[in-house]
Amino acid sequence: MAKDSQGMDLGQVEALVTAAIMIVPYSTENKITPEMIASSNATPELPAAYNRSTACIGLVKSDGGNQDSRDGDDPLEFLQDGYKKLPLATSLTQTFSPAENNALTRKITIGEPDTQGVYHVADIIQDAKWMVYEEETFDTGRVHRRAGVMQVTGNEPDQQERGSVTGRALTVEWMKDPLYVDAEHPNTRWIESWYDPKA
């Protein structure tokens, strides 16, 4: 549908159909480049580590999809009205709620088991940085892609209730990392693209 006489376009309104979050160990080999997720690529060619059977966080609670947020200092204001400069000291975070208690969700929250398969838990979040790739597919056919480096900074397990899906609300911080920062983009936290099959 094209824009109407008031400039409105229902064809640009999207509803989420499904999403996937893949988390792999931090390494140069697992970096996703802009060329890999270019908006012209119907299917991105990702490094081998991004195998959906081992790298996918799995099912996410229906009310626990991706939610971005930003925390930062107030803009710098000047004597002259109408001029502000945004601060560089910002924190970009995301929350989502995995429903699966699989090996990957345990690895990023309580760590690795010993040779007996027993976890020795010191905390429910780990110090490690992770490489992340996310896809969100919408009813229009568009696919939103995001890649970067993150660290888990919060883990709030759900209260156990009989007959309810139990998950955990994870908070991750998108890190400014040398693998994604360059001279032209010194403050990059992630890269993203939109694939549109109708374009």
Side-chain angles (χ1 to χ4, degrees):
M1 178 177 192
K3 285 185 181 182
D4 65 18
S5 60
Q6 298 181 64
M8 313 301 174
D9 186 354
L10 284 173
Q12 297 299 318
V13 177
E14 298 180 308
L16 183 68
V17 174
T18 190
I21 302 170
M22 288 184 267
I23 300 175
V24 300
Y26 179 89
S27 75
T28 305
E29 294 78 30
N30 292 338
K31 177 185 176 182
I32 293 176
T33 65
E35 294 77 20
M36 291 176 186
I37 63 167
S39 58
S40 58
N41 292 349
T43 305
E45 295 201 18
L46 306 176
Y50 294 89
N51 180 316
R52 288 185 187 265
S53 65
T54 57
C56 193
I57 203 77
L59 292 169
V60 172
K61 292 181 65 177
S62 64
D63 62 350
N66 294 347
Q67 182 172 352
D68 294 329
S69 64
R70 176 189 178 276
D71 185 27
D73 295 331
D74 293 332
L76 302 172
E77 295 193 33
F78 298 92
L79 176 67
Q80 293 81 5
D81 194 25
Y83 293 91
K84 290 184 181 184
K85 183 172 177 62
L86 292 177
L88 294 178
T90 59
S91 172
L92 300 179
T93 59
Q94 178 180 342
T95 58
F96 55 92
S97 298
E100 291 188 27
N101 178 19
N102 58 33
L104 179 58
T105 59
R106 291 193 297 274
K107 185 175 184 177
I108 65 174
T109 55
I110 60 174
E112 297 270 15
D114 65 16
T115 56
Q116 305 299 313
V118 176
Y119 293 85
H120 300 261
V121 180
D123 200 345
I124 58 171
I125 57 174
Q126 304 300 304
D127 291 333
K129 292 192 300 186
W130 303 91
M131 308 291 279
V132 183
Y133 173 70
E134 299 177 349
E135 278 187 356
E136 296 172 320
T137 303
F138 295 87
D139 61 347
T140 58
R142 281 191 215 148
V143 180
H144 177 228
R145 300 168 178 153
R146 180 187 290 181
V149 175
M150 64 84 163
Q151 185 172 18
V152 178
T153 58
N155 177 7
E156 296 181 29
D158 290 344
Q159 180 178 357
Q160 302 282 348
E161 291 182 7
R162 188 177 65 224
S164 296
V165 172
T166 300
R168 58 182 59 83
L170 296 181
T171 301
V172 300
E173 181 173 352
W174 290 94
M175 311 301 288
K176 198 186 301 186
D177 190 85
L179 291 179
Y180 285 91
V181 168
D182 57 38
E184 191 175 346
H185 308 98
N187 298 306
T188 297
R189 301 301 176 95
W190 67 70
I191 59 174
E192 72 177 61
S193 68
W194 290 87
Y195 167 70
D196 189 345
K198 300 175 190 137

